[in-house]
Amino acid sequence: MKLVISRSSVFTCALALLALNFSNNTTAWAGPGHDHGEEHDNAQAQATPDVAMGNSPRRLPTGEVFLPKPAQRQLNVRTTPAVLQAHAKVIELNGKVVVDPQTGGLVQTTAGGRFEAPPKGIPQMGQKVTKGELLGHVLASHGTLERSAQQGQLAQLKSQLNLAESRLQRVQQLQDTLPRKELDAANAEVQGLKGQVAALAGGIGAKEALRAPASGVVSSSQAISGKVFDAGALVFEVLDPSVVRIDATWASGGVPPGFSGATVVLGDQTIQLNYVGAAGAVRDQSLTLVFEHRKLEQTRFFTGQLVKVFAALADQTEGVAIPSSAVVKNAANQTMVWVKTEPETFQPQVVVTEPLDGQRVLVKSGLTTYDRVVTQGATLINQVR
């Protein structure tokens, strides 16, 4: 039997195949009650804040702070393990920088007068000088009546000197006939009058030389050409920049305890001090404790500067030493530190501290051994909300 396929049948099959392909590429719309697209969009919108919140720093309900690793690197957070050690007990004293009597000195005028600059010029503050170097002159100033009286007395002495010299010449001419004692008396009178004339003449126009009492630098200067100073006025102050002397106040009463050393903080530097001793007299209801350092290199103190001296006692106490920057305050104004409990979790810990050396504090309680204490970035962590 022979199968016959007409052209119209082939065309009909081709149209059916095209309709089937078009239906597969076209989006199908579900009827009412079968649309799940809106619910999917809402679920995705609700998940987005959770994801964003999980990757950002935040304060947890327990009071801890969640801080991801990228945020820790941006805030430059650093931690250190808490180690319980014995440290010398430290007390804080108020101190003042004073002139060291062995390496520095004051330049004062004894009689007062008008200041005159030396040939090399007036030394400037910070300029190096050597011991005995001429720093200037002070021309003695006198009142009009005093100067007139001195000039009248000088004229009288010069007249007496002329008469004495004439008498000496006559005695020398007759020395063969006159006793030897008359020649000696005339000669002594002449020499005495010459000395009086020289002393009085020097006093009228006297210049007091001001010289450096020690080698060092000029730390203060009141010198101006033509300025008139009173007797005893301070003109220059010379100090050795490598030496600092600090007078601290002990107001606790009784005999001061023994000190194993001390420190003073200047900027970001901690300078070690040696304890020299205590004064033997009470001044302003307190004793003066003397500390010094004699090998300063790049640090400079200034006379009269007020500082805090952290004196270490001979007795020791146990605690954890941490930087002062690690200590912050919580909402209740309690002293606390941040402890890293997990790689991205930090827990607040209330502690009891006392001063140690100006840059560190000693934690007496609140920490356990090897707690990871935040030593850098604690203030930024404390601001996370």
Side-chain angles (χ1 to χ4, degrees), residues 75-358:
L75 299 180
N76 198 20
V77 176
R78 295 291 183 270
T79 62
T80 186
V83 179
L84 185 64
Q85 293 178 342
H87 298 272
K89 187 176 181 180
V90 177
I91 59 175
E92 183 178 337
L93 302 173
N94 295 323
K96 183 179 181 181
V97 180
V98 297
V99 179
D100 180 53
Q102 300 182 17
T103 59
L106 307 177
V107 181
Q108 297 175 282
T109 171
T110 57
R114 187 176 70 254
F115 180 82
E116 291 184 355
K120 295 182 180 180
I122 301 176
Q124 302 297 320
M125 286 185 291
Q127 179 178 336
K128 293 184 178 180
V129 295
T130 57
K131 185 176 181 179
E133 181 179 346
L134 182 63
L135 305 180
H137 291 97
V138 174
L139 179 62
S141 59
H142 302 280
T144 304
L145 296 178
E146 185 179 0
R147 181 179 294 273
S148 300
Q150 291 178 350
Q151 290 178 349
Q153 185 178 359
L154 179 60
Q156 183 179 1
L157 289 175
K158 287 182 178 181
S159 176
Q160 294 177 3
L161 178 60
N162 292 332
L163 293 176
E165 288 177 345
S166 300
R167 189 179 305 110
L168 178 60
Q169 291 179 359
R170 291 194 298 270
V171 172
Q172 289 177 346
Q173 294 175 358
L174 301 174
Q175 61 181 350
D176 295 337
T177 59
L178 295 176
R180 178 68 182 179
K181 62 179 181 179
E182 293 188 10
L183 178 60
D184 295 339
N187 191 15
E189 184 181 3
V190 170
Q191 295 301 326
L193 290 173
K194 285 183 178 181
Q196 294 181 24
V197 170
L200 188 57
I204 294 177
K207 287 185 179 181
E208 179 185 1
L210 303 179
R211 299 187 179 275
S215 298
V217 298
V218 178
S219 61
S220 67
S221 174
Q222 306 295 330
I224 301 176
S225 295
K227 182 177 180 179
V228 177
F229 290 93
D230 296 331
L234 178 64
V235 184
F236 295 101
E237 186 174 349
V238 180
L239 296 177
D240 186 351
S242 64
V243 177
V244 59
R245 181 185 177 95
I246 299 176
D247 286 353
T249 302
W250 173 264
S252 299
V255 180
F259 297 101
S260 59
T263 58
V264 61
V265 178
L266 187 64
D268 56 350
Q269 295 184 354
T270 300
I271 296 110
Q272 299 293 329
L273 299 176
N274 296 323
Y275 176 59
V276 179
V282 177
R283 183 179 62 183
D284 296 334
Q285 302 301 319
S286 62
L287 288 177
T288 300
L289 307 180
V290 180
F291 300 88
E292 66 178 12
H293 186 98
R294 294 189 168 274
K295 292 183 179 180
L296 294 176
E297 295 181 358
Q298 299 179 353
T299 308
R300 178 72 183 276
F301 289 86
F302 304 95
T303 305
Q305 181 179 358
L306 300 179
V307 295
K308 293 288 186 180
V309 178
F310 298 91
L313 302 179
D315 299 334
Q316 292 188 344
T317 180
E318 288 189 348
V320 178
I322 60 174
S324 302
S325 58
V327 180
V328 294
K329 295 288 186 179
N330 59 11
N333 200 30
Q334 294 176 310
T335 302
M336 54 165 281
V337 297
W338 286 98
V339 178
K340 189 174 184 179
T341 56
E342 295 182 6
E344 295 183 340
T345 305
F346 297 86
Q347 177 183 354
Q349 190 69 38
V350 178
V351 294
V352 176
T353 63
E354 64 181 29
L356 185 57
D357 58 6

